[in-house]
Amino acid sequence: MNAVALTDRGRVRDSNQDTVFAENHPVGALPNLYIVADGMGGHRAGDYCSQTLTARVVSAVRESEGKLPLPALRDAVLLANESLFTEARRHAELEGMGSTLVAAFLEEQSATVLNIGDSRCYAGFTDGGFRQVTRDHSYVEEMVSAGKMQRGSEAYKKSKNIITRAIGVSAEVQMDLFELPVENLALLLLCTDGLTNMLEDAEIREILSETITLKEKAEKLIQAANMKGGRDNISVVLVDLREEAGAQ
């Protein structure tokens, strides 16, 4: 298994409020850990929230030995949310901060994915299949589910940035959990909406199917998003189950 984590400011934003993390080796109770977080809430608050969220989740997981993997990750996320929410209430300069989160770990038989917000996880399969695993926690996706809006319509595109769940904005947070068998799983992509707002799924799939290194795939995804306008920070974590760590 090999992983690459890259983040880029994009062509419009004056700072990067995304944070990425990738560790192929055990982290506390987890056999490995991959994270993408997209901060919001003003220049300093967004940076701080995504960075601090990631650091606190990783720290809590490192101290989780003896727990089962999923409870260890879930408890770490809940603890980080509670601490960030409390901090925002105590410090005016952090008021309104929040962050998305998509995280994953892989065991021998399955891959587990957790998400809050609109940062996504995609799965690539050995037969060439490619699909979105997570579902955005956003106003437009709620409208689609209710049959009141069509995905990809002008109304959808106009309101796509309104998210309905985020870390740090309330004392409690709900997360979605997904489990995938690894038998036919080839690759996981964790990314922020700076990638998916610029590229269609078909364009992402095409780049991931190229015969280039994992790092080159990550770099090419970011380059393509920037060529389409790069209107937001762009972050990707790629995990290749077929490739050994450190492969170039």
Side-chain angles (χ1 to χ4, degrees):
M1 188 165 62
N2 190 27
V4 173
L6 293 179
T7 184
D8 187 85
R9 181 169 57 89
R11 299 180 63 185
V12 175
R13 306 281 185 173
D14 60 3
S15 66
N16 191 344
Q17 299 188 0
D18 291 355
T19 302
V20 295
F21 176 87
E23 177 55 74
N24 292 319
H25 301 293
V27 182
L30 272 60
N32 44 65
L33 179 59
Y34 310 99
I35 294 173
V36 168
D38 182 355
M40 55 194 168
H43 180 95
R44 182 183 170 210
D47 294 355
Y48 178 82
C49 195
S50 70
Q51 293 169 11
T52 305
L53 164 62
T54 302
R56 288 180 184 174
V57 168
V58 172
S59 177
V61 170
R62 289 195 193 281
E63 298 174 3
S64 67
E65 290 187 12
K67 289 186 176 182
L68 293 172
L70 178 53
L73 178 58
R74 185 177 55 214
D75 290 350
V77 171
L78 293 175
L79 184 64
N81 176 75
E82 184 179 357
S83 66
L84 285 164
F85 175 68
T86 299
E87 204 169 345
R89 297 184 70 184
R90 291 176 177 171
H91 301 281
E93 70 273 19
L94 299 178
E95 184 178 357
M97 73 174 176
S99 179
T100 69
L101 176 71
V102 58
F105 63 87
L106 294 105
E107 298 176 280
E108 287 188 12
Q109 302 298 323
S110 64
T112 300
V113 180
L114 174 157
N115 85 296
I116 300 164
D118 63 356
S119 292
R120 294 179 179 177
C121 175
Y122 289 86
F125 299 92
T126 54
D127 63 359
F130 180 74
R131 69 175 177 86
Q132 183 178 337
V133 176
T134 56
R135 193 164 100 181
D136 298 352
H137 298 137
S138 63
Y139 165 75
V140 292
E141 282 298 324
E142 289 187 359
M143 291 296 100
V144 169
S145 295
K148 298 180 179 179
M149 186 180 291
Q150 184 175 349
R151 187 177 290 112
S153 66
E154 286 304 313
Y156 183 96
K157 293 175 182 177
K158 186 177 294 187
S159 302
K160 191 174 182 297
N161 64 330
I162 304 172
I163 64 173
T164 54
R165 295 189 207 175
I167 293 279
V169 299
S170 59
E172 297 181 356
V173 66
Q174 289 185 315
M175 63 192 79
D176 286 349
L177 298 168
F178 305 87
E179 189 172 287
L180 303 170
V182 299
E183 182 180 1
N184 299 311
L185 188 62
L187 180 142
L188 287 179
L189 164 64
L190 280 62
C191 60
T192 56
D193 65 347
L195 180 74
T196 55
N197 284 342
M198 295 292 98
L199 301 180
E200 299 293 335
D201 287 3
E203 295 174 291
I204 296 172
R205 177 181 181 175
E206 183 176 351
I207 291 171
L208 294 178
S209 67
E210 293 185 20
T211 309
I212 54 179
T213 69
L214 197 64
K215 184 178 180 182
E216 288 171 337
K217 290 177 182 180
E219 291 172 339
K220 195 163 184 178
L221 286 171
I222 289 173
Q223 181 185 35
N226 275 323
M227 288 179 66
K228 286 287 189 77
R231 293 195 297 269
D232 201 351
N233 310 143
I234 310 156
S235 294
V236 301
V237 170
L238 281 175
V239 186
D240 193 325
L241 282 71
R242 305 158 299 180
E243 195 174 271
E244 290 187 12
Q248 296 297 317

